[in-house]
């Protein structure tokens, strides 16, 4: 960083996206696509906006963004259809 | 990452942070024409690691004590510029910045009648600085400054009823919410934003780091706090506490023990031996509170 704005103002909205929190994970949620009922509860409850919404019309299941998923496990715990499972993170 | 998300991925909140999920919900309802004044605390620190920000809306970090005052200034400045129409002004604070340190600024904002929605993300202690007790910390919780031990049962005092105190200012709208009841939460955010004048929402925000439980249980703990009756979901217009509307009645309240034993901040109530007297005291207080709520509900019929 060469120059600091006056008042240390940050002028790029959402620039935290440059920082990939996926490396924090020790366990990761994995989706069984056939079991996803497109309810989007996991999407709503994810503290890291790391789940892409399902689309019921297009029968498109949710998608986990492993760049940012910290592996907290809330989605696995809260899925009413047991469509997600926690597994060991690979190296 | 959904591109329309106003609170982005890449923030440094702990895995399983209840507040982060709550912030997303609030902003999904408020939309892009929103300005946030944020008190010092976890939320400020984890979202703005310089030179990055997780916010896609105008956001300003106030000091610990003055989020409500800064939001008030934004309100007045925009009015003076003739640009106030169609803009939501939100003030965000943690429980430390709201119950304790920012309380007088909050009280002033309410009294002056600014059209601002103040949201407190309540995780019941000073988590950002290392789990120190706060006036929001519940009775018998162990924190680093109210540690449980041979001569201590954890915090000796009760949790301050912040939402009732705020409502006593006779403001437009006051409510409590949790992320487990997210439809209810969003409905309340909408009502708060639409209200003419000051509004306030207390969002119960479980903290895996400070309450010491596995991160996947954040939503389940929100649910259990409501199902045991420890945390009451309610809303009120004005200041008459006899008119509060409970927005969710647990079908059959679960014993408070079931909620407490999920968290290591209450572990000393269960081992080496069960502290039945303390557990009974907590249960009795909850029972008393609900008896009162049921009476009010009867009267309202």
């Amino acid at each position: 960083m060469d120059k600091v704005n006056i008042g240390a103002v940050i002028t790029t909205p959402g620039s935290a996206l440059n920082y990939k929190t996926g490396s924090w994970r020790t366990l990761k949620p994995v989706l069984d696509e056939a079991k996803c009922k497109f309810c989007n509860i996991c999407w709503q409850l994810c503290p890291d906006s790391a789940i892409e919404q399902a689309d019921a019309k297009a029968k498109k299941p949710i998608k986990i963004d492993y760049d940012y998923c910290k592996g907290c496990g809330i989605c696995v715990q809260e899925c009413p259809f047991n469509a997600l499972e926690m597994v060991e993170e690979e190296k | 990452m959904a591109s329309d998300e106003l609170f982005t991925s890449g923030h440094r909140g702990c895995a399983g942070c209840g507040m982060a999920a709550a912030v997303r919900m609030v902003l999904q309802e408020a939309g892009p024409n929103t300005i946030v004044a944020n008190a010092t605390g976890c939320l400020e620190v984890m979202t703005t690691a310089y030179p990055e920000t997780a916010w896609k809306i105008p956001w300003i970090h106030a000091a610990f004590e003055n989020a409500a005052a800064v939001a008030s200034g934004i309100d007045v400045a925009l009015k003076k510029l003739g640009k106030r129409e169609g803009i939501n002004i939100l003030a965000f604070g943690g429980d430390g910045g709201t119950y304790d340190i920012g309380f007088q600024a909050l009280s002033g904002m309410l009294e002056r009648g600014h059209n601002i929605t103040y949201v407190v993300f309540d995780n019941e202690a000073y988590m950002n600085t290392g789990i120190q007790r706060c006036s929001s910390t519940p009775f018998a919780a162990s924190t680093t400054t109210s540690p449980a031990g041979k001569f201590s049962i954890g915090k000796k005092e009760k949790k301050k009823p912040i939402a009732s105190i705020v409502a006593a200012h006779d403001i437009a709208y006051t409510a409590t919410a949790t992320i487990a009841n997210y439809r209810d939460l969003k409905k309340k955010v909408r009502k708060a934003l639409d209200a003419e004048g000051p509004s306030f929402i207390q969002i119960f925000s479980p903290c895996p780091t400070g309450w010491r439980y596995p991160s996947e249980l954040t939503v389940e703990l929100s649910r259990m706090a409501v199902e045991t009756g420890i945390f009451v979901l309610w809303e009120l217009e004005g200041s008459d506490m006899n008119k509060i509307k409970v927005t969710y009645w647990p079908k059959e309240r679960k014993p408070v023990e079931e909620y407490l034993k999920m968290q290591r901040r209450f572990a000393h109530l269960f081992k080496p031996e069960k502290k039945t007297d303390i557990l009974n005291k907590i249960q009795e207080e909850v029972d008393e509170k609900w008896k009162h709520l049921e009476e009010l509900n009867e009267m309202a019929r």
Side-chain angles (χ1 to χ4, degrees), chain B residues 145-157:
Chain B
T145 49
S146 65
K150 215 189 243 174
F151 302 104
S152 162
I153 51 111
K155 192 189 170 198
K156 291 195 290 288
E157 303 81 11

Side-chain angles (χ1 to χ4, degrees), chain B residues 235-237 240-246 296:
Chain B
E235 62 181 2
L236 175 70
E237 289 169 24
D240 185 353
M241 285 303 285
N242 290 327
K243 291 188 178 149
I244 77 163
K245 190 183 153 212
V246 175
L296 288 178

Side-chain angles (χ1 to χ4, degrees), chain B residues 19 36-48 55 59-71 90-103 105-106 118-121 126 128:
Chain B
M19 172 176 62
V36 171
N38 203 148
T40 298
C42 279
L43 186 59
E44 167 246 328
V45 171
M46 76 196 212
T47 58
T48 52
W55 304 88
W59 176 94
I60 182 166
H61 169 220
F64 219 142
E65 68 279 15
N66 64 350
V70 169
L90 299 179
F92 286 172
D95 42 295
T98 304
Y99 283 69
D100 290 355
I101 302 175
F103 187 70
L106 169 61
Y118 191 107
V119 184
V120 55
F121 299 96
Y126 288 86
N128 182 43

Side-chain angles (χ1 to χ4, degrees), chain A residues 16 43-44 46 48 70 72 78, chain B residues 9 13 24 53 186 215 223:
Chain A
W43 164 80
Q44 183 62 85
C46 177
D48 289 288
K70 293 169 186 162
C72 71
E78 295 297 323
Chain B
S9 310
R24 278 186 67 212
T53 175
K186 285 186 165 182
S215 60
R223 191 175 290 125

Side-chain angles (χ1 to χ4, degrees), chain A residues 18-69:
Chain A
N18 296 331
Y19 188 84
K20 306 281 166 68
T21 50
S23 63
W24 295 14
R25 244 180 1 251
T26 52
L27 296 170
K28 72 171 180 183
V30 176
L31 175 72
D32 179 346
E33 293 197 356
K35 287 187 183 170
C36 178
K37 300 277 188 286
F38 324 112
C39 71
N40 283 323
I41 289 175
C42 58
W43 164 80
Q44 183 62 85
L45 297 174
C46 177
D48 289 288
S49 315
I51 296 179
E52 219 174 89
Q53 282 198 72
D55 182 347
K57 266 191 201 145
K59 296 233 185 312
K60 190 170 92 62
I62 59 108
K63 196 175 160 213
I64 296 162
D65 187 339
Y66 293 110
D67 277 350
Y68 300 105
C69 167

